[in-house]
Amino acid sequence: QVHLVESGGGLVQAGGSLRLSCAASRRTVGLYAMGWFRQAPGKEREFVAIDWNSEYADSVKGRFTISRDDARNTVYLQMNSLKPEDTAVYYCAAGPWGLRFPLRSEQYHYWGQGTQVTVSS
């Protein structure tokens, strides 16, 4: 089992940057694939990025970068060139290493509490 805690959300103007962090309670390298999802008001939760194969949603490609620091058991989401449509609660999630369908939220077993990102126009 692994406990996840996100941080780094906030309010930023369009075109700005934020870096989200997700601290895991235990070692994840080789055990868990770490992903980021987001959910905007009135919308379904959607996939953003996953670390083990560096896959990204089309809407964030070229702007967001996922990375991990295994010494700190932490995964990051660097978000650049933010747009108002990026406004959402961002969730960190952990699933089995090598999971087959990373875009499907049901593939992930553990979730953080979420961190709000608001991008103003």
Side-chain angles (χ1 to χ4, degrees):
Q1 196 169 14
V2 61
H3 183 59
L4 306 173
V5 178
E6 302 99 332
S7 61
L11 174 64
V12 64
Q13 288 188 334
S17 298
L18 281 175
R19 189 179 78 158
L20 305 183
S21 300
C22 173
S25 59
R26 59 165 294 177
R27 172 177 169 264
T28 60
V29 61
L31 298 175
Y32 296 103
M34 303 298 293
W36 287 95
F37 284 73
R38 66 186 182 185
Q39 188 166 19
K43 294 187 177 181
E44 293 186 354
R45 190 170 297 189
E46 65 174 2
F47 169 81
V48 175
I50 187 171
D51 66 341
W52 80 271
N53 63 349
S54 298
E55 185 169 355
Y56 296 90
D58 288 342
S59 59
V60 307
K61 280 181 182 177
R63 300 188 299 121
F64 290 12
T65 303
I66 190 170
S67 62
R68 58 192 298 162
D69 183 339
D70 293 327
R72 291 181 168 82
N73 296 330
T74 299
V75 64
Y76 302 98
L77 185 69
Q78 178 67 44
M79 305 185 295
N80 298 328
S81 302
L82 282 161
K83 304 175 182 179
E85 51 264 43
D86 294 318
T87 295
V89 177
Y90 283 70
Y91 296 91
C92 176
W97 184 262
L99 76 175
R100 293 185 61 194
F101 304 105
L103 275 65
R104 298 181 184 177
S105 60
E106 62 267 26
Q107 296 278 296
Y108 298 81
H109 301 160
Y110 305 103
W111 293 82
Q113 81 288 351
T115 185
Q116 176 71 46
V117 171
T118 302
V119 184
S120 63
S121 57

